[in-house]
Amino acid sequence: MKFSSLLEVCNSAREGGYAVPAINVVDENSLRAVVDAAQECKSAVILQLSVKTVRQWGLQQITSAAENASAGVSVPVVLHLDHCPDIDLCKEVIDAGWSSVLMDVSALPDEQVEPVLSEICSYAHERGATVEIEVENILGVEDGVGTDEVLRSCTVDELVDIAKRTGADLLAPQLGTAHGLYKSDPVLQPERAGEFAARTDIPIVLHGGTGLSDADFATFIEAGVSKINISTDLKVAYIEAAQRFVTENFDPSCGSIGIDSWKSKEPLALIQAQHDAVRDMAKRYMRIFQSEGRA
Ligand code: 13P
């Protein structure tokens, strides 16, 4: 397999008392920036893609981009499909050589949850891949998947039992976080993460990382979380870098919106600025999650 195992990097993180950043990249530029951050920080990294991103670029093209970016890199790079309610797409990315998938069964009727999870876990394991599961829904909408309504709630024991019965490798439970920017302070549940960690060795995943404080992350990591998802912050870094570039390079005194109004007429400089902003954002999380220097 060209990519590292999600389960192995998360098990190492749990043993080492740190978490691995799982960063939702949107294209080849951001994907390279995150891999560059991992290499510079000597950190494992999880390149995560939404279903929407895979559909926009096409599976083959984005897989090749990830392979090229991680070729020759000395740190573990995991390629992971985020929140996927479509079992056929999960199988397709596993066939394409991805490390892992998040099978999202939160919107399925109860009687379909375990059969679908068992099917994808067997399929993945036969091919050396790993499955993260979402049974309760993480609140918020991410790239068109999800909702602000609670669809299902389980007890800690129920979720651990479902994971054990179906062969799931990682658990993404509701821990008080949500996708996107917080409109009010979330009621975080690190103690719930601790209850999972006390009952099972299955790595615990924290979704909705954007907007939490360094102290919040430290508390969750201490409680046993070993994969932390960041998406919105990448989008902010990517778009703000473009906005800064425009502000710094547009010369309104030229009075037109043609190419002569730009101090820099070099698209590569804009692409580089976005790369650097995303790389620096990723490096910051590697430091906060204490994965820096561990790979
Ligand atoms: P944020 O968009 O809040 O960073 O959440 C990311 C996430 O959980 C992706 O699955």
Side-chain angles (χ1 to χ4, degrees):
M1 194 177 262
K2 292 182 180 128
F3 299 103
S4 296
S5 155
L6 176 64
L7 185 59
E8 282 172 23
V9 300
C10 290
N11 280 339
S12 300
R14 177 122 175 219
E15 278 164 29
Y18 62 96
V20 184
I23 302 183
N24 286 57
V25 292
V26 293
D27 63 0
E28 184 159 5
N29 193 24
S30 53
L31 190 152
R32 283 186 178 277
V34 170
V35 173
D36 289 347
Q39 183 70 53
E40 286 178 32
C41 283
K42 300 209 177 330
S43 167
V45 75
I46 300 158
L47 295 175
Q48 216 165 234
L49 287 97
S50 70
V51 169
K52 185 177 176 185
T53 304
V54 174
R55 296 227 155 100
Q56 169 139 351
W57 295 109
L59 180 55
Q60 277 330 113
Q61 181 166 340
I62 203 72
T63 306
S64 300
E67 284 171 358
N68 293 337
S70 52
V73 165
S74 63
V75 296
V77 177
V78 172
L79 185 61
H80 177 74
L81 181 66
D82 200 18
H83 296 282
C84 185
D86 175 354
I87 192 168
D88 293 330
L89 182 60
C90 286
K91 289 179 179 176
E92 262 185 74
V93 308
I94 291 168
D95 290 343
W98 290 39
S99 316
S100 46
V101 296
L102 166 51
M103 183 77 234
D104 180 351
V105 291
S106 58
L108 288 183
D110 288 348
E111 64 279 10
Q112 288 180 27
V113 166
E114 293 198 29
V116 169
L117 292 181
S118 298
E119 181 179 338
I120 192 63
C121 289
S122 308
Y123 192 89
H125 296 163
E126 282 162 15
R127 291 156 180 82
T130 296
V131 180
E132 175 184 339
I133 62 167
E134 179 175 352
V135 178
E136 308 173 307
N137 61 311
I138 315 288
L139 297 185
V141 182
E142 184 94 335
D143 280 356
V145 177
T147 164
D148 289 324
E149 274 171 56
V150 176
L151 300 177
R152 179 182 290 110
S153 295
C154 303
T155 65
V156 169
D157 285 335
E158 281 167 348
L159 269 187
V160 171
D161 288 345
I162 291 171
K164 285 188 178 153
R165 280 196 297 269
T166 59
D169 303 289
L170 288 95
L171 261 175
Q174 189 37 274
L175 296 172
T177 55
H179 295 125
L181 295 173
Y182 291 100
K183 294 174 194 97
S184 56
D185 285 347
V187 181
L188 301 176
Q189 301 171 39
E191 63 291 339
R192 193 168 193 243
E195 287 173 37
F196 281 105
R199 277 174 178 71
T200 177
D201 290 337
I202 296 173
I204 309 305
V205 181
L206 180 68
H207 281 249
T210 300
L212 301 194
S213 69
D214 294 8
D216 293 332
F217 288 125
T219 308
F220 273 112
I221 292 168
E222 203 171 320
V225 159
S226 50
K227 169 178 183 267
I228 303 181
N229 288 8
I230 301 290
S231 173
T232 304
D233 226 7
L234 182 141
K235 295 176 182 176
V236 171
Y238 203 92
I239 288 174
E240 282 186 354
Q243 203 171 25
R244 263 194 312 277
F245 184 89
V246 169
T247 308
E248 286 164 13
N249 285 289
F250 184 66
D251 184 358
S253 67
C254 290
S256 99
I257 55 163
I259 194 79
D260 289 343
S261 311
W262 293 90
K263 289 181 225 161
S264 169
K265 300 176 179 60
E266 180 50 87
L268 290 175
L270 167 61
I271 291 166
Q272 185 68 47
Q274 290 182 299
H275 168 282
D276 294 353
V278 171
R279 180 201 54 204
D280 293 348
M281 179 275 313
K283 285 169 78 170
R284 188 161 52 80
Y285 282 112
M286 287 164 192
R287 274 177 217 122
I288 298 169
F289 300 169
Q290 301 160 55
S291 61
E292 182 177 29
R294 309 289 191 126

